[in-house]
Amino acid sequence: MSQDLATNTGTTGDGSGTTGASASTTGTALRPLGLFTVLLGAALPMIDFFVVNVAFPSIERDLDASPAALEMVVASYAVAYAALLVLGGRLGDTFGRRRMFLWGVVAFGVTSLACGLAPGAWWLIGARMAQGAASAMMFPQVLATIHATTEGRARTRAIGLFGSVGGISIVTGQVLGGVLVAADVGGSGWRAIFLINVPVVLLALLLGLRTVPDSRSESPARGDLAGTVLLASALAALLLPLTEGRAAGWPLWSVVLLVAAPFLGYGFFAVERRVERAGGDPLLPPSLLREPGVRRGLLAGAPIFLGFSSWMFEIALTLQQGLHYGPLAAGLTLVPMGVAQFAASVLAPRLTDRLGAGRVLALSAVAQTAGLATVMATLWQGWTGLAPLALAPGLLLCGVGSGLQLPTYFRVILSAVPAARAGAGSGLAATAQQSGLALGVATLGSLFLALIPHLGMREALTIVLLVQVVGLATLVVQGMRLPRALGH
């Protein structure tokens, strides 16, 4: 996904709006050990988005957490990540990417420790939100550092490795979570999935101090505090009542927040438009939405990210609470999906060059629909005593579909963004991605939980996946309407 941005446009691609022409380095190249360090920093936020899924039953028992609280454990992380991602890139431009990367690593370790020691569900939710903020500080520096401190073949290779981190992180997150919860080291149970970050962070910090070169922008964009606050407020006003309102019986505060959400969203758009017209540096420039390719990409991203995050939430609960798998078995069950997703993400650029981005998106939706249908058929044939391997064919197809989608989504958007604005374009794409992931759990995840008491888990999953299939059908239509040359 990132290769197109950095190699074709010559920009950082960090979401900060900084162009390659303005990147300033210390003159030190990024060596293999330094590359390993920053890629570790890229993997940690993604692993921690997925690692929590297989720990839900343990967290629910230990902290007496409601299903809605479990949704918030996921959504709070994604909201903070989405709202602060672009700001994190700009801080790196201004104060130095190495410095912000190291501070982000430290903050990630501290917040992981807070998650692991959480005495209650709301403490965990707050710590996860802080962990998302730490991720937003750390993650944008990775690709920006690669761009600023490498060139030629070394840059191409480094960006290729960066693009592969996502698929590996999904596999690692699911399996690692299952292994750690099942091992119950020292009676830590689910807490180990967060506490293990502490020694990893210490390693990344020591390596980062020695191996990561510094870089910064010669003309960094100014911060957009008002935009950042309004975006975070709008997302929170939408997601909090969607996740907590149903379980609480829709109290007045939830209705007030839902009513306020569109006004906060409009306020964010109005502030960004005013800042842009005044020649400032808005968090997400509204003028980008006038680019047809950007609008197409964002529309395509909606069913992709809403469906993917809710699917990972639902299948994790289904495996453990419906099929009664242990955490290790649940994690290992999802390995075929993660492996297929990694392989498909590697092949996606070649397929896009051959078929065009639109046809690849349509193909991905067909593959994922076939996978979801196969999983549901398997569950309906043998709900009791179902072996994990029986789900592998459907999960493989799901992995192929989702693996083709992410890099193609970024390519569609970034191919429509002028080279001088590619950083802002990548920031918009990444923010929309993280917002969609949070919204998917809050909407389809909430629907799943609401249906279980009345219909049963298998039936509830069937209905929610049918809704997801409708979204995938719109992705097929959108893909076939895209110009064939788009994304080449």
Side-chain angles (χ1 to χ4, degrees), residues 252-305:
L252 179 61
W253 65 263
S254 63
V255 177
V256 170
L257 284 179
L258 277 177
V259 171
F263 292 99
L264 289 169
Y266 178 79
F268 168 71
F269 181 79
V271 166
E272 299 300 274
R273 184 172 53 188
R274 186 174 69 247
V275 171
E276 188 174 33
R277 287 177 175 174
D281 299 302
L283 192 71
L284 297 174
S287 62
L288 284 178
L289 297 177
R290 291 197 290 268
E291 300 288 345
V294 172
R295 293 198 301 270
R296 293 188 189 104
L298 292 176
L299 285 173
I304 292 173
F305 301 121

Short mmCIF file of all heavy atoms in Angstrom, two decimals, residues 252-305:
data_model
loop_
_atom_site.label_atom_id
_atom_site.label_comp_id
_atom_site.label_asym_id
_atom_site.label_seq_id
_atom_site.Cartn_x
_atom_site.Cartn_y
_atom_site.Cartn_z
N LEU A 252 -30.40 9.41 28.44
CA LEU A 252 -30.41 10.73 27.80
C LEU A 252 -29.05 11.10 27.24
O LEU A 252 -28.95 11.66 26.15
CB LEU A 252 -30.89 11.77 28.82
CG LEU A 252 -30.94 13.23 28.30
CD1 LEU A 252 -31.91 13.36 27.14
CD2 LEU A 252 -31.32 14.17 29.44
N TRP A 253 -27.96 10.79 27.98
CA TRP A 253 -26.64 11.19 27.51
C TRP A 253 -26.30 10.56 26.16
O TRP A 253 -25.63 11.19 25.32
CB TRP A 253 -25.56 10.82 28.54
CG TRP A 253 -25.37 9.35 28.78
CD1 TRP A 253 -25.90 8.61 29.78
CD2 TRP A 253 -24.60 8.44 27.98
NE1 TRP A 253 -25.53 7.29 29.68
CE2 TRP A 253 -24.71 7.16 28.58
CE3 TRP A 253 -23.82 8.56 26.84
CZ2 TRP A 253 -24.08 6.02 28.07
CZ3 TRP A 253 -23.19 7.44 26.32
CH2 TRP A 253 -23.32 6.19 26.93
N SER A 254 -26.76 9.32 25.94
CA SER A 254 -26.45 8.65 24.68
C SER A 254 -27.18 9.31 23.52
O SER A 254 -26.63 9.46 22.42
CB SER A 254 -26.81 7.17 24.77
OG SER A 254 -28.20 6.98 24.95
N VAL A 255 -28.43 9.71 23.76
CA VAL A 255 -29.20 10.40 22.72
C VAL A 255 -28.60 11.76 22.41
O VAL A 255 -28.47 12.17 21.24
CB VAL A 255 -30.67 10.54 23.16
CG1 VAL A 255 -31.47 11.32 22.12
CG2 VAL A 255 -31.29 9.17 23.40
N VAL A 256 -28.20 12.49 23.47
CA VAL A 256 -27.60 13.81 23.29
C VAL A 256 -26.31 13.70 22.46
O VAL A 256 -26.07 14.50 21.53
CB VAL A 256 -27.31 14.46 24.66
CG1 VAL A 256 -26.45 15.72 24.49
CG2 VAL A 256 -28.61 14.80 25.36
N LEU A 257 -25.49 12.71 22.76
CA LEU A 257 -24.24 12.54 22.01
C LEU A 257 -24.50 12.20 20.55
O LEU A 257 -23.83 12.71 19.65
CB LEU A 257 -23.38 11.46 22.66
CG LEU A 257 -22.65 11.85 23.95
CD1 LEU A 257 -21.86 10.66 24.49
CD2 LEU A 257 -21.72 13.04 23.72
N LEU A 258 -25.46 11.32 20.30
CA LEU A 258 -25.78 10.96 18.92
C LEU A 258 -26.28 12.17 18.13
O LEU A 258 -25.93 12.34 16.95
CB LEU A 258 -26.83 9.85 18.89
CG LEU A 258 -26.32 8.42 19.07
CD1 LEU A 258 -27.49 7.44 19.08
CD2 LEU A 258 -25.34 8.05 17.95
N VAL A 259 -27.08 13.00 18.77
CA VAL A 259 -27.57 14.21 18.11
C VAL A 259 -26.42 15.18 17.87
O VAL A 259 -26.36 15.85 16.82
CB VAL A 259 -28.68 14.88 18.96
CG1 VAL A 259 -29.04 16.25 18.40
CG2 VAL A 259 -29.92 14.00 19.02
N ALA A 260 -25.48 15.23 18.82
CA ALA A 260 -24.36 16.17 18.69
C ALA A 260 -23.34 15.73 17.65
O ALA A 260 -22.63 16.57 17.08
CB ALA A 260 -23.67 16.33 20.05
N ALA A 261 -23.24 14.43 17.38
CA ALA A 261 -22.19 13.91 16.51
C ALA A 261 -22.16 14.56 15.13
O ALA A 261 -21.10 15.01 14.67
CB ALA A 261 -22.32 12.39 16.40
N PRO A 262 -23.30 14.65 14.40
CA PRO A 262 -23.23 15.29 13.08
C PRO A 262 -22.87 16.77 13.14
O PRO A 262 -22.21 17.28 12.23
CB PRO A 262 -24.64 15.08 12.50
CG PRO A 262 -25.52 14.78 13.66
CD PRO A 262 -24.64 14.10 14.66
N PHE A 263 -23.28 17.46 14.20
CA PHE A 263 -22.92 18.87 14.34
C PHE A 263 -21.42 19.03 14.59
O PHE A 263 -20.78 19.94 14.05
CB PHE A 263 -23.72 19.51 15.47
CG PHE A 263 -25.19 19.62 15.18
CD1 PHE A 263 -26.08 18.69 15.68
CD2 PHE A 263 -25.68 20.65 14.38
CE1 PHE A 263 -27.45 18.77 15.41
CE2 PHE A 263 -27.05 20.74 14.11
CZ PHE A 263 -27.92 19.80 14.62
N LEU A 264 -20.87 18.14 15.41
CA LEU A 264 -19.42 18.17 15.63
C LEU A 264 -18.68 17.84 14.34
O LEU A 264 -17.64 18.43 14.02
CB LEU A 264 -19.04 17.18 16.72
CG LEU A 264 -19.46 17.56 18.14
CD1 LEU A 264 -19.28 16.37 19.10
CD2 LEU A 264 -18.64 18.75 18.64
N GLY A 265 -19.21 16.87 13.57
CA GLY A 265 -18.60 16.55 12.30
C GLY A 265 -18.63 17.71 11.33
O GLY A 265 -17.64 18.00 10.65
N TYR A 266 -19.78 18.40 11.28
CA TYR A 266 -19.87 19.58 10.41
C TYR A 266 -18.92 20.68 10.90
O TYR A 266 -18.29 21.37 10.09
CB TYR A 266 -21.30 20.10 10.39
CG TYR A 266 -21.45 21.36 9.55
CD1 TYR A 266 -21.51 21.28 8.16
CD2 TYR A 266 -21.50 22.62 10.15
CE1 TYR A 266 -21.63 22.42 7.39
CE2 TYR A 266 -21.61 23.77 9.39
CZ TYR A 266 -21.67 23.67 8.01
OH TYR A 266 -21.78 24.81 7.24
N GLY A 267 -18.82 20.84 12.24
CA GLY A 267 -17.90 21.84 12.78
C GLY A 267 -16.46 21.54 12.39
O GLY A 267 -15.69 22.45 12.05
N PHE A 268 -16.09 20.25 12.42
CA PHE A 268 -14.75 19.85 11.99
C PHE A 268 -14.52 20.23 10.53
O PHE A 268 -13.49 20.82 10.18
CB PHE A 268 -14.56 18.35 12.19
CG PHE A 268 -13.34 17.78 11.54
CD1 PHE A 268 -12.08 18.06 12.05
CD2 PHE A 268 -13.44 16.98 10.41
CE1 PHE A 268 -10.94 17.55 11.44
CE2 PHE A 268 -12.31 16.47 9.79
CZ PHE A 268 -11.06 16.75 10.31
N PHE A 269 -15.48 19.89 9.67
CA PHE A 269 -15.34 20.20 8.25
C PHE A 269 -15.25 21.71 8.03
O PHE A 269 -14.44 22.19 7.22
CB PHE A 269 -16.53 19.62 7.48
CG PHE A 269 -16.47 19.87 6.00
CD1 PHE A 269 -15.67 19.10 5.18
CD2 PHE A 269 -17.23 20.89 5.43
CE1 PHE A 269 -15.61 19.33 3.81
CE2 PHE A 269 -17.18 21.13 4.07
CZ PHE A 269 -16.37 20.34 3.26
N ALA A 270 -16.07 22.49 8.75
CA ALA A 270 -16.07 23.94 8.58
C ALA A 270 -14.74 24.55 9.01
O ALA A 270 -14.20 25.44 8.34
CB ALA A 270 -17.22 24.56 9.38
N VAL A 271 -14.20 24.08 10.14
CA VAL A 271 -12.91 24.58 10.61
C VAL A 271 -11.81 24.24 9.62
O VAL A 271 -10.96 25.09 9.28
CB VAL A 271 -12.60 24.01 12.01
CG1 VAL A 271 -11.14 24.24 12.37
CG2 VAL A 271 -13.51 24.63 13.06
N GLU A 272 -11.81 23.01 9.13
CA GLU A 272 -10.78 22.61 8.18
C GLU A 272 -10.87 23.43 6.89
O GLU A 272 -9.85 23.82 6.32
CB GLU A 272 -10.92 21.11 7.85
CG GLU A 272 -10.74 20.20 9.05
CD GLU A 272 -9.37 20.34 9.69
OE1 GLU A 272 -8.43 19.67 9.24
OE2 GLU A 272 -9.24 21.13 10.65
N ARG A 273 -12.08 23.69 6.43
CA ARG A 273 -12.25 24.48 5.21
C ARG A 273 -11.76 25.91 5.42
O ARG A 273 -11.10 26.49 4.54
CB ARG A 273 -13.72 24.47 4.80
CG ARG A 273 -14.02 25.18 3.48
CD ARG A 273 -15.45 24.96 3.07
NE ARG A 273 -16.39 25.32 4.14
CZ ARG A 273 -17.69 25.07 4.10
NH1 ARG A 273 -18.20 24.41 3.07
NH2 ARG A 273 -18.47 25.44 5.10
N ARG A 274 -12.07 26.48 6.59
CA ARG A 274 -11.63 27.85 6.87
C ARG A 274 -10.11 27.93 6.97
O ARG A 274 -9.49 28.86 6.43
CB ARG A 274 -12.27 28.35 8.17
CG ARG A 274 -11.96 29.81 8.46
CD ARG A 274 -12.70 30.34 9.67
NE ARG A 274 -12.21 29.75 10.90
CZ ARG A 274 -12.92 28.94 11.67
NH1 ARG A 274 -14.16 28.61 11.31
NH2 ARG A 274 -12.42 28.44 12.77
N VAL A 275 -9.49 26.96 7.62
CA VAL A 275 -8.03 26.95 7.75
C VAL A 275 -7.38 26.82 6.38
O VAL A 275 -6.40 27.52 6.06
CB VAL A 275 -7.58 25.79 8.67
CG1 VAL A 275 -6.06 25.63 8.63
CG2 VAL A 275 -8.04 26.04 10.11
N GLU A 276 -7.95 25.96 5.54
CA GLU A 276 -7.36 25.77 4.21
C GLU A 276 -7.50 27.02 3.36
O GLU A 276 -6.56 27.41 2.65
CB GLU A 276 -8.02 24.58 3.53
CG GLU A 276 -7.35 24.19 2.21
CD GLU A 276 -7.92 22.91 1.63
OE1 GLU A 276 -9.13 22.65 1.82
OE2 GLU A 276 -7.16 22.18 0.98
N ARG A 277 -8.66 27.66 3.40
CA ARG A 277 -8.87 28.88 2.62
C ARG A 277 -7.96 30.01 3.07
O ARG A 277 -7.59 30.88 2.28
CB ARG A 277 -10.33 29.32 2.72
CG ARG A 277 -11.29 28.44 1.92
CD ARG A 277 -12.73 28.87 2.12
NE ARG A 277 -13.64 28.10 1.28
CZ ARG A 277 -14.96 28.19 1.33
NH1 ARG A 277 -15.54 29.02 2.22
NH2 ARG A 277 -15.73 27.46 0.53
N ALA A 278 -7.60 30.00 4.36
CA ALA A 278 -6.71 31.03 4.90
C ALA A 278 -5.23 30.73 4.62
O ALA A 278 -4.35 31.47 5.06
CB ALA A 278 -6.93 31.18 6.40
N GLY A 279 -4.98 29.63 3.91
CA GLY A 279 -3.60 29.28 3.59
C GLY A 279 -2.89 28.53 4.69
O GLY A 279 -1.66 28.42 4.67
N GLY A 280 -3.66 28.00 5.66
CA GLY A 280 -3.05 27.25 6.76
C GLY A 280 -2.86 25.79 6.42
O GLY A 280 -2.90 25.37 5.25
N ASP A 281 -2.65 24.98 7.44
CA ASP A 281 -2.38 23.55 7.28
C ASP A 281 -3.43 22.74 8.03
O ASP A 281 -3.22 22.34 9.17
CB ASP A 281 -0.98 23.20 7.81
CG ASP A 281 0.11 23.94 7.07
OD1 ASP A 281 0.19 23.77 5.85
OD2 ASP A 281 0.87 24.69 7.72
N PRO A 282 -4.58 22.50 7.41
CA PRO A 282 -5.63 21.73 8.09
C PRO A 282 -5.21 20.29 8.31
O PRO A 282 -4.38 19.75 7.56
CB PRO A 282 -6.82 21.82 7.13
CG PRO A 282 -6.19 22.05 5.79
CD PRO A 282 -4.97 22.88 6.05
N LEU A 283 -5.79 19.69 9.33
CA LEU A 283 -5.50 18.30 9.64
C LEU A 283 -5.81 17.41 8.44
O LEU A 283 -4.98 16.58 8.03
CB LEU A 283 -6.33 17.86 10.85
CG LEU A 283 -5.98 16.53 11.52
CD1 LEU A 283 -4.66 16.64 12.25
CD2 LEU A 283 -7.09 16.13 12.48
N LEU A 284 -6.99 17.56 7.87
CA LEU A 284 -7.42 16.82 6.67
C LEU A 284 -8.02 17.83 5.69
O LEU A 284 -9.16 18.25 5.86
CB LEU A 284 -8.45 15.74 7.04
CG LEU A 284 -7.96 14.64 7.97
CD1 LEU A 284 -9.11 13.72 8.36
CD2 LEU A 284 -6.84 13.83 7.32
N PRO A 285 -7.28 18.23 4.66
CA PRO A 285 -7.75 19.27 3.74
C PRO A 285 -9.05 18.87 3.03
O PRO A 285 -9.08 17.86 2.32
CB PRO A 285 -6.60 19.40 2.73
CG PRO A 285 -5.40 18.87 3.45
CD PRO A 285 -5.91 17.79 4.36
N PRO A 286 -10.14 19.62 3.19
CA PRO A 286 -11.40 19.28 2.52
C PRO A 286 -11.31 19.27 1.01
O PRO A 286 -12.06 18.56 0.34
CB PRO A 286 -12.36 20.39 3.00
CG PRO A 286 -11.77 20.88 4.28
CD PRO A 286 -10.29 20.77 4.10
N SER A 287 -10.38 20.06 0.44
CA SER A 287 -10.27 20.11 -1.02
C SER A 287 -9.89 18.76 -1.62
O SER A 287 -10.15 18.51 -2.80
CB SER A 287 -9.23 21.16 -1.43
OG SER A 287 -7.95 20.83 -0.92
N LEU A 288 -9.29 17.88 -0.80
CA LEU A 288 -8.95 16.55 -1.32
C LEU A 288 -10.21 15.79 -1.72
O LEU A 288 -10.17 14.93 -2.61
CB LEU A 288 -8.19 15.76 -0.26
CG LEU A 288 -6.72 16.12 -0.04
CD1 LEU A 288 -6.14 15.26 1.08
CD2 LEU A 288 -5.91 15.93 -1.31
N LEU A 289 -11.31 16.09 -1.06
CA LEU A 289 -12.56 15.37 -1.36
C LEU A 289 -13.11 15.75 -2.73
O LEU A 289 -14.01 15.07 -3.25
CB LEU A 289 -13.61 15.66 -0.29
CG LEU A 289 -13.24 15.17 1.12
CD1 LEU A 289 -14.32 15.58 2.11
CD2 LEU A 289 -13.03 13.67 1.14
N ARG A 290 -12.58 16.83 -3.34
CA ARG A 290 -13.03 17.19 -4.68
C ARG A 290 -12.37 16.31 -5.74
O ARG A 290 -12.79 16.32 -6.90
CB ARG A 290 -12.73 18.67 -4.95
CG ARG A 290 -13.59 19.62 -4.14
CD ARG A 290 -13.58 21.02 -4.71
NE ARG A 290 -12.30 21.68 -4.53
CZ ARG A 290 -12.00 22.46 -3.50
NH1 ARG A 290 -12.91 22.65 -2.54
NH2 ARG A 290 -10.82 23.03 -3.40
N GLU A 291 -11.34 15.56 -5.34
CA GLU A 291 -10.70 14.64 -6.28
C GLU A 291 -11.58 13.40 -6.43
O GLU A 291 -11.86 12.71 -5.45
CB GLU A 291 -9.32 14.23 -5.77
CG GLU A 291 -8.35 15.39 -5.58
CD GLU A 291 -7.88 15.96 -6.90
OE1 GLU A 291 -8.07 15.30 -7.94
OE2 GLU A 291 -7.32 17.08 -6.89
N PRO A 292 -12.04 13.09 -7.66
CA PRO A 292 -12.94 11.93 -7.83
C PRO A 292 -12.34 10.62 -7.32
O PRO A 292 -13.04 9.80 -6.71
CB PRO A 292 -13.16 11.88 -9.35
CG PRO A 292 -12.89 13.27 -9.82
CD PRO A 292 -11.81 13.80 -8.92
N GLY A 293 -11.04 10.40 -7.55
CA GLY A 293 -10.42 9.16 -7.09
C GLY A 293 -10.41 9.03 -5.58
O GLY A 293 -10.54 7.93 -5.05
N VAL A 294 -10.26 10.16 -4.89
CA VAL A 294 -10.27 10.14 -3.43
C VAL A 294 -11.66 9.74 -2.94
O VAL A 294 -11.81 8.91 -2.03
CB VAL A 294 -9.86 11.52 -2.86
CG1 VAL A 294 -10.07 11.56 -1.36
CG2 VAL A 294 -8.41 11.81 -3.20
N ARG A 295 -12.69 10.34 -3.53
CA ARG A 295 -14.06 9.99 -3.13
C ARG A 295 -14.35 8.51 -3.41
O ARG A 295 -14.97 7.82 -2.59
CB ARG A 295 -15.07 10.88 -3.86
CG ARG A 295 -15.01 12.34 -3.46
CD ARG A 295 -16.29 13.06 -3.87
NE ARG A 295 -16.52 12.98 -5.31
CZ ARG A 295 -16.07 13.86 -6.19
NH1 ARG A 295 -15.35 14.89 -5.78
NH2 ARG A 295 -16.34 13.73 -7.47
N ARG A 296 -13.90 8.03 -4.56
CA ARG A 296 -14.12 6.62 -4.89
C ARG A 296 -13.43 5.72 -3.87
O ARG A 296 -13.98 4.70 -3.43
CB ARG A 296 -13.59 6.32 -6.29
CG ARG A 296 -14.34 7.00 -7.43
CD ARG A 296 -13.84 6.45 -8.76
NE ARG A 296 -14.36 7.20 -9.89
CZ ARG A 296 -13.67 8.08 -10.60
NH1 ARG A 296 -12.41 8.32 -10.28
NH2 ARG A 296 -14.22 8.70 -11.61
N GLY A 297 -12.20 6.08 -3.52
CA GLY A 297 -11.46 5.26 -2.57
C GLY A 297 -12.11 5.23 -1.21
O GLY A 297 -12.20 4.17 -0.57
N LEU A 298 -12.58 6.39 -0.74
CA LEU A 298 -13.23 6.44 0.57
C LEU A 298 -14.53 5.64 0.58
O LEU A 298 -14.85 4.96 1.56
CB LEU A 298 -13.49 7.89 0.96
CG LEU A 298 -12.25 8.75 1.25
CD1 LEU A 298 -12.64 10.19 1.52
CD2 LEU A 298 -11.44 8.18 2.41
N LEU A 299 -15.29 5.72 -0.51
CA LEU A 299 -16.52 4.94 -0.61
C LEU A 299 -16.22 3.45 -0.63
O LEU A 299 -16.93 2.65 -0.01
CB LEU A 299 -17.29 5.33 -1.88
CG LEU A 299 -18.02 6.68 -1.84
CD1 LEU A 299 -18.60 7.01 -3.21
CD2 LEU A 299 -19.13 6.66 -0.79
N ALA A 300 -15.15 3.07 -1.32
CA ALA A 300 -14.76 1.66 -1.34
C ALA A 300 -14.28 1.20 0.03
O ALA A 300 -14.50 0.06 0.43
CB ALA A 300 -13.66 1.43 -2.38
N GLY A 301 -13.63 2.09 0.76
CA GLY A 301 -13.10 1.73 2.06
C GLY A 301 -14.17 1.48 3.11
O GLY A 301 -13.94 0.72 4.06
N ALA A 302 -15.35 2.09 2.95
CA ALA A 302 -16.40 1.94 3.96
C ALA A 302 -16.79 0.48 4.19
O ALA A 302 -16.71 -0.01 5.33
CB ALA A 302 -17.61 2.79 3.59
N PRO A 303 -17.20 -0.28 3.17
CA PRO A 303 -17.54 -1.69 3.43
C PRO A 303 -16.34 -2.54 3.81
O PRO A 303 -16.48 -3.54 4.52
CB PRO A 303 -18.15 -2.17 2.10
CG PRO A 303 -17.61 -1.24 1.07
CD PRO A 303 -17.46 0.08 1.77
N ILE A 304 -15.15 -2.14 3.36
CA ILE A 304 -13.94 -2.92 3.68
C ILE A 304 -13.67 -2.87 5.18
O ILE A 304 -13.55 -3.91 5.84
CB ILE A 304 -12.73 -2.38 2.89
CG1 ILE A 304 -12.89 -2.68 1.40
CG2 ILE A 304 -11.44 -3.01 3.42
CD1 ILE A 304 -11.81 -2.04 0.53
N PHE A 305 -13.58 -1.67 5.74
CA PHE A 305 -13.14 -1.54 7.12
C PHE A 305 -14.27 -1.76 8.12
O PHE A 305 -14.05 -2.33 9.20
CB PHE A 305 -12.48 -0.18 7.33
CG PHE A 305 -11.29 0.02 6.44
CD1 PHE A 305 -11.23 1.07 5.55
CD2 PHE A 305 -10.25 -0.88 6.45
CE1 PHE A 305 -10.16 1.25 4.71
CE2 PHE A 305 -9.16 -0.73 5.61
CZ PHE A 305 -9.11 0.34 4.73
#
